[in-house]
């Protein structure tokens, strides 16, 4: 099987700060990581390769420093890494990003062969739009399986894959033909640490680096800021709440604790007690 995994290098959300004057995200000094959702996709791709053979290619679009995340993916076990980097991609929103990535995937298939499955994470932690995976599928005319929690069965000979999809109110079991695009959710598997030999290989590996011209992206008006209709008007950090959390002394039993909590709530919101009393009397 030939499997492609799209990953993104993102700032560690636990250390992101917002500038108090400009209200923009301060990225200086913030460490970058592989988008966590993409790691679950990478692990699922590696499991399929380990079971059926073949190769896993990782692709990312970003500045030259994004090669660090690609090397980490290689250290985990990926076979090949492709970096799409060019100044024309700066400022891309999801529409421009899917255009560039779709073109790069076409170039990958021309160079390294047809891909059976394209994996992405369900979303990124810096954008949270969940649009890139489906956008790539639309541009490449791929069947798409989103919010997948488990690959139940895969049959490369028949060209079929069966998955479990998280949905409101339960789980859907879906089967579709390959090639297809799959977006994985959090907690769908346990990401491996990678073998020592893979780490050595990753340190010496050559990252395939393509510019827009190398990837044969001809219409640059669809890339970067020119191809991005999205406008971010303002980014701000919410003001801290002045009211502090109240502590309620626990009772000897669960019932005593519940009564103490209810009494505390009614003491802080007397109108709520009156409304609930009226409601109870009406029943």
């Amino acid at each position: 099987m030939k499997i492609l995994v799209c990953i993104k290098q993102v700032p560690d959300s636990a250390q992101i700060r917002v500038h108090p004057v400009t209200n923009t995200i301060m990225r200086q000094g913030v460490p970058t990581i592989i988008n966590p959702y993409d790691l679950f996709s990478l692990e699922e791709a590696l499991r399929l390769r380990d079971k059926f053979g073949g190769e896993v290619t990782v692709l990312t679009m970003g500045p030259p420093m994004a090669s660090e995340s690609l090397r980490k993916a290689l250290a985990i076990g990926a076979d090949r890494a492709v970096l799409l980097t060019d100044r024309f991609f700066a400022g891309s929103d999801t529409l421009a990003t899917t255009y560039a990535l779709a073109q790069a995937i076409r170039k990958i298939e021309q160079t390294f062969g047809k891909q059976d499955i394209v994996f992405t994470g369900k979303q990124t932690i810096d954008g949270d739009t969940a649009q890139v995976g489906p956008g790539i599928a639309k541009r490449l005319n791929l069947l798409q399986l989103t919010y997948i929690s488990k690959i139940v069965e895969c049959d490369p000979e028949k060209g079929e894959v069966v998955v479990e999809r998280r949905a409101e109110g339960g789980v859907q079991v879906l089967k579709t033909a390959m090639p297809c695009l799959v977006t994985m959710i959090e907690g769908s598997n346990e990401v491996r640490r990678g073998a020592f030999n893979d780490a050595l290989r990753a340190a010496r590996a050559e990252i395939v680096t393509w510019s827009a011209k190398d990837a044969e992206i001809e219409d640059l008006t669809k890339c970067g800021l020119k191809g991005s209709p999205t406008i971010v008007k303002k980014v701000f950090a919410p003001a801290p709440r002045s009211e502090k959390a109240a502590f309620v002394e626990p009772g000897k039993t669960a019932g005593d604790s519940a009564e103490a909590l209810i009494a505390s709530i009614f003491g802080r919101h007397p109108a709520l007690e009156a409304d609930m009393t009226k409601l109870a009397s009406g029943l």
Side-chain angles (χ1 to χ4, degrees):
M1 292 185 68
K2 291 184 180 293
I3 305 172
L4 177 70
V5 184
C6 293
I7 68 172
K8 184 180 181 183
Q9 186 178 63
V10 296
D12 189 343
S13 60
Q15 302 188 46
I16 287 181
R17 296 170 295 159
V18 176
H19 196 284
V21 177
T22 62
N23 288 324
T24 57
I25 294 177
M26 300 171 62
R27 298 178 181 266
Q28 293 79 7
V30 178
T32 56
I33 59 174
I34 296 178
N35 178 51
Y37 296 107
D38 298 342
L39 288 174
F40 296 114
S41 291
L42 176 58
E43 173 61 29
E44 206 63 40
L46 294 174
R47 292 185 181 189
L48 291 176
R49 181 208 59 190
D50 294 344
K51 183 176 181 179
F52 299 108
E55 59 184 22
V56 172
T57 300
V58 286
L59 166 67
T60 193
M61 184 181 84
M65 64 179 291
S67 61
E68 298 173 4
S69 291
L70 289 175
R71 290 198 183 278
K72 182 175 181 180
L74 290 171
I76 293 174
D79 300 288
R80 180 186 299 109
V82 179
L83 172 62
L84 186 63
T85 183
D86 202 303
R87 61 185 179 85
F88 292 109
F89 303 141
S92 295
D93 66 0
T94 56
L95 186 68
T97 297
T98 58
Y99 172 74
L101 288 176
Q103 293 296 104
I105 292 172
R106 291 190 178 99
K107 179 64 174 180
I108 286 173
E109 293 192 326
Q110 292 174 8
T111 308
F112 305 113
K114 189 73 173 177
Q115 303 297 304
D116 298 297
I117 302 179
V118 176
F119 277 101
T120 72
K122 74 165 186 177
Q123 62 193 61
T124 58
I125 60 174
D126 61 345
D128 282 342
T129 63
Q131 295 174 349
V132 171
I136 293 173
K138 176 64 177 178
R139 292 186 183 278
L140 296 178
N141 196 29
L142 293 174
L143 298 169
Q144 57 178 294
L145 300 165
T146 58
Y147 298 93
I148 302 307
S149 58
K150 181 180 180 181
I151 304 294
V152 178
E153 183 181 347
C154 182
D155 191 333
E157 293 185 1
K158 292 183 179 179
E160 295 177 345
V161 60
V162 180
V163 301
E164 290 184 0
R165 181 181 189 270
R166 182 185 295 176
E168 291 186 21
V171 175
Q172 298 173 337
V173 179
L174 306 173
K175 180 170 73 173
T176 191
M178 298 187 289
C180 61
L181 181 140
V182 176
T183 72
M184 301 296 297
I185 62 173
E186 69 283 358
S188 52
N189 51 47
E190 184 175 347
V191 181
R192 66 189 69 186
R193 294 177 61 89
F196 181 70
N197 288 339
D198 287 328
L200 293 178
R201 178 176 57 85
R204 300 190 300 263
E206 177 184 357
I207 304 294
V208 179
T209 304
W210 287 341
S211 65
K213 182 178 180 180
D214 295 330
E216 299 181 6
I217 300 175
E218 298 178 355
D219 192 351
L220 296 180
T221 62
K222 295 182 179 179
C223 300
L225 287 175
K226 290 184 178 180
S228 303
T230 305
I231 298 175
V232 179
K233 184 176 181 181
K234 184 179 181 181
V235 178
F236 65 94
R241 301 174 69 173
S242 58
E243 187 177 5
K244 295 184 178 180
F247 178 78
V248 178
E249 288 288 346
K252 294 182 179 180
T253 65
D256 293 338
S257 298
E259 289 182 3
L261 179 60
I262 293 172
S264 174
I265 293 174
F266 286 163
R268 296 164 65 89
H269 305 282
L272 177 61
E273 182 178 10
D275 292 341
M276 293 190 69
T277 302
K278 289 181 181 179
L279 180 62
S281 61
L283 297 176

